[in-house]
Amino acid sequence: MEPAAAFLGLLQGKAAPRVFSTGYRPRWGLLVSGLGAAGQGQSVGGRTAAVTFCAPLRPLGPRTVRGAAALVPFPSRESIKGKAKLRLRECDVGDKFSHLPLRKASVLLPLLLRDGALCLLLTVRSMQLRRSPGEVCFPGGKREEMDKDEIDTALREAKEEVGLQPEKVEVICRLVPGIDKMNHLVTPVVGFIEDTFQASPNPDEVSDVFVVPLEYFIRPLNYVALPYKNSSGYLSWMHCFTYDDHEHKKSFKIWGLTAHFAVFLAIVIFRMKPTFEVHYDLDNLITSAENHFLTLYASINERKSSL
């Protein structure tokens, strides 16, 4: 679609089918529907257009920005967080899968706002660790006897790994779990943290902490899908992102279960189809996610029973 036609579609209240982006350079001032961050667009009449097509335009309110951007409302921080929380709570599975007879683990998916955009905090595992050294992950780990539930596990691990105090996390929901390569049932716990949070990484467990715009997990600049076969022989595709962090002047590879959880979280909040293939039905998001998980769980059970 030509840029001018895309703008016309926006003015008519129609969501354009895709971003015409030449690269991922967020420009947070120009937003659609209060949840999307703008990418760098093509030139329109000699000027660069930065647009993310998240939803039809709402009527203009008093909070707008000047020039061409005045066509689009400029949402408040409270509005962005509020909408995200509502959509997350709609997808809360609670303890629905807690009874499954697998060893338990949890991860915390810490959300925060940076420059008006929703972001995710991630860590890099210490090279001293025996399992998955140097890999990107969320704060988390195996359940211990002292933990009351999956939320307790995620909060305890986040405190141990990056110094995040449990009382500083606004827990919103638990999403559909996953199963890691060690056959742990891993529950993603989503919570908001303060935008000003300064991590204090435990060097025995964490070598680095960084932040990624959540939108990157539906509109990435560098993405590949890798074939993956789990321990039970179940074949699927694995998301693999490369994120260039200009603040740290490093590139981070985000893949496996960490990428799986990040993609699902982004779809839940933005309600947009990614620029790559996913197995979810966006019209029946939770049902399709649960069915996919149960298929994976059944494949593991079948293998166990055949041994």
Side-chain angles (χ1 to χ4, degrees):
M1 174 181 289
E2 290 297 322
F7 269 114
L8 181 59
L10 282 173
L11 290 173
Q12 293 171 342
K14 300 174 183 177
R18 61 186 300 138
V19 170
F20 40 93
S21 177
T22 58
Y24 191 85
R25 293 181 57 195
R27 294 172 57 184
W28 309 125
L30 185 58
L31 305 169
V32 179
S33 83
L35 286 174
Q40 181 183 6
Q42 295 178 352
S43 177
V44 180
R47 301 182 64 182
T48 298
V51 186
T52 290
F53 304 112
C54 295
L57 284 174
R58 299 171 300 172
L60 286 177
R63 292 176 59 86
T64 59
V65 288
R66 295 181 181 277
L71 299 171
V72 185
F74 188 51
S76 66
R77 294 163 58 88
E78 293 75 18
S79 171
I80 295 171
K81 278 189 175 182
K83 288 183 178 181
K85 290 175 187 178
L86 284 174
R87 291 176 178 178
L88 286 166
R89 287 175 180 136
E90 290 172 359
C91 298
D92 187 5
V93 300
D95 60 0
K96 183 174 183 177
F97 300 100
S98 301
H99 67 284
L100 295 178
L102 294 174
R103 291 171 295 173
K104 306 296 192 296
S106 296
V107 292
L108 180 67
L109 277 56
L111 282 168
L112 64 156
L113 274 174
R114 286 277 174 89
D115 298 323
L118 288 172
C119 296
L120 266 178
L121 182 141
L122 295 119
T123 69
V124 179
R125 291 173 61 83
S126 169
M127 294 302 294
Q128 303 174 38
L129 294 173
R130 184 179 60 182
R131 190 163 73 89
S132 305
E135 290 192 5
V136 171
C137 64
F138 291 110
K142 292 184 287 187
R143 183 170 181 171
E144 296 185 0
E145 289 185 9
M146 68 183 78
D147 300 330
K148 294 183 296 184
D149 54 20
E150 297 92 347
I151 295 174
D152 260 17
T153 302
L155 295 179
R156 175 181 54 76
E157 289 284 345
K159 179 181 178 181
E160 293 175 5
E161 292 181 12
V162 297
L164 178 58
Q165 299 299 318
E167 63 271 16
K168 296 294 186 180
V169 182
E170 182 187 1
V171 174
I172 307 300
C173 69
R174 284 170 279 188
L175 297 177
V176 177
I179 300 174
D180 69 9
K181 54 191 174 185
M182 303 298 291
N183 286 344
H184 288 94
L185 179 72
V186 184
T187 299
V189 177
V190 184
F192 271 94
I193 65 174
E194 293 294 329
D195 311 345
T196 54
F197 170 68
Q198 296 292 319
S200 302
N202 177 349
D204 293 332
E205 299 190 54
V206 174
S207 64
D208 215 339
V209 179
F210 64 104
V211 168
V212 180
L214 183 62
E215 188 192 30
Y216 194 79
F217 295 105
I218 53 172
R219 297 194 180 282
L221 180 60
N222 195 330
Y223 170 89
V224 294
L226 303 174
Y228 172 73
K229 184 181 290 187
N230 68 8
S231 59
S232 67
Y234 181 78
L235 182 63
S236 62
W237 291 92
M238 180 170 57
H239 304 301
C240 182
F241 302 85
T242 300
Y243 177 69
D244 294 325
D245 187 324
H246 299 292
E247 179 182 348
H248 290 77
K249 297 181 180 178
K250 293 181 182 178
S251 292
F252 296 100
K253 179 182 177 183
I254 307 165
W255 65 304
L257 199 56
T258 299
H260 169 80
F261 287 149
V263 169
F264 186 66
L265 177 65
I267 293 173
V268 165
I269 290 179
F270 293 118
R271 300 295 166 94
M272 293 178 64
K273 181 176 173 58
T275 56
F276 49 88
E277 290 299 316
V278 291
H279 53 250
Y280 304 119
D281 176 0
L282 267 63
D283 293 326
N284 298 282
L285 185 57
I286 291 302
T287 300
S288 64
E290 290 181 349
N291 287 343
H292 177 77
F293 166 74
L294 292 172
T295 299
L296 175 60
Y297 174 69
S299 74
I300 291 172
N301 266 353
E302 287 173 9
R303 179 169 175 80
K304 283 183 177 180
S305 61
S306 66
L307 295 177

